[in-house]
């Protein structure tokens, strides 16, 4: 039996084990997917240990995606995005890194009927997920703006994707102007998290996409109350996970099975 895993900190909230184990069962694979808490400073040890023990592959989540670039050989996409969320082990100890987050976000938006080409997209955050999403949406023709707590990181990402960078203090102006608003941070994962955006800033005709998937966030509640179209993080989770399976196994992932498993796991929590 091959072992796969997600590394992160925190990671106990992760729905990936339920999702990926359902996929492996549907594909008839002898495999098991687990979750491990790994601190960023021990990531190298954890990845090398997984390779030494014969793991089939890894996913990486907050806050490990950028740190992984120091350990793996990234493909062109992951190198350009500056973040890795999927690790594959090859012959001779070669450890490859990929990023499926951007593709997952794009598929999630397209599945909700949202086309980003020519539209004003505001990405909140400048971490690993934000880098992947901003790059993919920019490549798809979106006019991308980045807002981040540290405006220098927002500017760096904006330069990399051909967009514009701002601080969170600019959200009062940026949010009403945007056609699509993406929360690419972990804010909202916990009930006591502060609001990123005042609900009065949202409007009808917008799409508000929150990559948080373990609960309905205040951001989405406020946006829905304002008449905006809302999208939670589950479709992105499913699509990025589907591409990870295809990288590891060469098999087409059972997306419908994976989404059902995620939503059932959420209902049972």
């Amino acid at each position: 039996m091959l072992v796969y895993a997600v590394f992160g900190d925190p990671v106990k909230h992760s729905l990936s084990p339920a999702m990926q184990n359902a996929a492996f069962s549907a594909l008839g694979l002898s495999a098991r997917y687990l979750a491990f808490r790994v601190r960023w400073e021990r990531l190298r040890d954890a990845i090398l240990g997984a390779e030494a023990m014969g793991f089939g592959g890894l996913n990486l989540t907050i806050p490990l995606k950028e740190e992984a670039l120091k350990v793996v050989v990234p493909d062109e996409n992951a190198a350009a995005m500056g973040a890795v969320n999927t690790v594959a082990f090859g012959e001779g100890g070669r450890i490859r890194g990929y990023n499926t987050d951007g593709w997952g976000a794009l598929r999630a938006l397209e599945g909700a009927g949202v086309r980003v080409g020519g539209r004003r997209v505001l990405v909140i955050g400048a971490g690993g997920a934000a880098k992947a999403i901003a790059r993919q949406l920019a490549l798809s023709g979106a006019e991308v703006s980045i807002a981040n707590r540290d405006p220098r990181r927002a500017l760096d990402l904006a330069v990399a994707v051909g967009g514009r960078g701002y601080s969170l203090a600019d959200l009062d102006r940026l949010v009403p102007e945007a056609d699509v608003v993406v929360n690419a941070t972990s804010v909202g994962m916990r009930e006591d998290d502060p609001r990123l955006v005042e609900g009065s800033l949202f409007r009808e005709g917008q799409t508000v996409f929150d990559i948080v998937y373990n609960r309905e966030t205040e951001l989405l509640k406020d946006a829905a109350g304002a008449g905006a179209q809302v999208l939670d993080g589950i479709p992105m989770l499913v699509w990025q996970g589907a591409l990870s399976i295809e990288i590891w196994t060469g098999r087409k992932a059972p997306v419908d099975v994976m989404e059902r498993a995620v939503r059932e796991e959420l209902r049972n929590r």
Side-chain angles (χ1 to χ4, degrees), residues 220-244:
L220 293 188
K221 292 176 184 177
D222 290 344
Q229 177 186 10
V230 298
L231 180 65
D232 65 27
I234 291 177
M236 175 180 163
L237 172 71
V238 170
W239 282 110
Q240 65 80 26
L243 185 54
S244 293

Side-chain angles (χ1 to χ4, degrees), residues 50-84:
E51 190 277 330
M53 289 187 290
F55 277 39
L58 301 171
N59 286 130
L60 304 176
T61 187
I62 295 169
L64 307 177
K65 296 177 183 182
E66 296 166 281
E67 186 69 16
L69 288 169
K70 301 176 183 178
V71 186
V72 307
V73 178
D75 73 350
E76 181 180 355
N77 184 53
M81 290 180 174
V84 168

